[in-house]
Every structure is written in C-alpha cells, then in structure tokens.
Amino acid sequence: SLQERWMVTKMIYGAQSDKYDYHMVGFNEDTLTLFLNEVGFCNIERVGNFNLGFQDTSEMVYKGYFVSLNMAAKKCNDGVHDDGFEVSHNADAFVRNEKDS
C-alpha cells in the first residue's frame, strides 16, 4: 500500500521530524561496497548488528527485511586491499535470508 511504502521511505531517509532526522542518500550493499573501495577502504563486510549496548534502527526488521545496511570496513594504506588484516569490531555476522538475496 502507499502508506506502507511511505513508512519504509521514512525509515530509510529519516522521518525528517527534526534537524537530526535526515538521511540524504541511500545505498544497497553493492553500491556502498563499490564506493568504499573507490576511496581506499578494504576488508568490507556486511554485519548483522553492532552490539552497541542500546537498541537502534540498525537492528530493525520491517516485514522480514532489515531496514539498515550495517557495514564494517578498514581504511587501507596505499591502495593495498588484501594485507591480511581483519576488521576488528563487536558486530554479529550478517545472516542472509531468502528476502535479502
């Protein structure tokens, strides 16, 4: 329905209810990975949630879909993209379901 699509749009781009609730652009996993690579990031991985110690929309699921694209990456030196370094974070692994393909 139009109401459901509008709800998803507000979740992705912010409800724009105050000056901090704005998202100016949206990415999918492929485009964000491409852009991160282009500006020198490597060891890019999609993660489940960041285990921040508080609940935010990075963990939100709407109608079986994750609302947020949670990614972790490492800034690489001199364009080296495979130096064996692992990204260190406290995030859970992303588990893909049939709706995320």
Side-chain angles (χ1 to χ4, degrees), residues 12-13 16 22-26:
I12 293 171
Y13 294 103
Q16 302 182 12
Y22 279 82
H23 298 202
M24 303 303 249
V25 67

Side-chain angles (χ1 to χ4, degrees), residues 87-100:
V87 176
S88 177
H89 55 72
N90 193 31
D92 293 334
F94 176 70
V95 178
R96 204 173 287 282
N97 67 36
E98 64 275 356
K99 291 187 176 192
D100 294 311

Side-chain angles (χ1 to χ4, degrees), residues 1 8 14 46 51 54 58 60 65 70-71 75 77-78 85-86 95:
S1 75
V8 171
R46 186 168 184 179
N51 296 307
F54 58 90
S58 68
M60 186 176 187
Y65 292 93
N70 301 326
M71 303 285 285
K75 182 70 174 168
N77 297 325
D78 301 320
F85 179 83
E86 289 192 33
V95 178

Side-chain angles (χ1 to χ4, degrees), residues 47-65:
V47 297
N49 70 61
F50 291 106
N51 296 307
L52 299 173
F54 58 90
Q55 190 171 23
D56 71 349
T57 56
S58 68
E59 301 177 17
M60 186 176 187
V61 174
Y62 181 73
K63 295 199 172 229
Y65 292 93

Side-chain angles (χ1 to χ4, degrees), residues 10-59:
K10 290 192 307 183
M11 285 187 270
I12 293 171
Y13 294 103
Q16 302 182 12
S17 59
D18 60 53
K19 68 180 183 177
Y20 303 106
D21 193 16
Y22 279 82
H23 298 202
M24 303 303 249
V25 67
F27 296 101
N28 65 24
E29 185 176 358
D30 293 333
T31 56
L32 184 55
T33 298
L34 174 74
F35 291 136
L36 287 170
N37 268 305
E38 285 183 356
V39 295
F41 283 84
C42 62
N43 296 64
I44 301 164
E45 64 178 303
R46 186 168 184 179
V47 297
N49 70 61
F50 291 106
N51 296 307
L52 299 173
F54 58 90
Q55 190 171 23
D56 71 349
T57 56
S58 68
E59 301 177 17

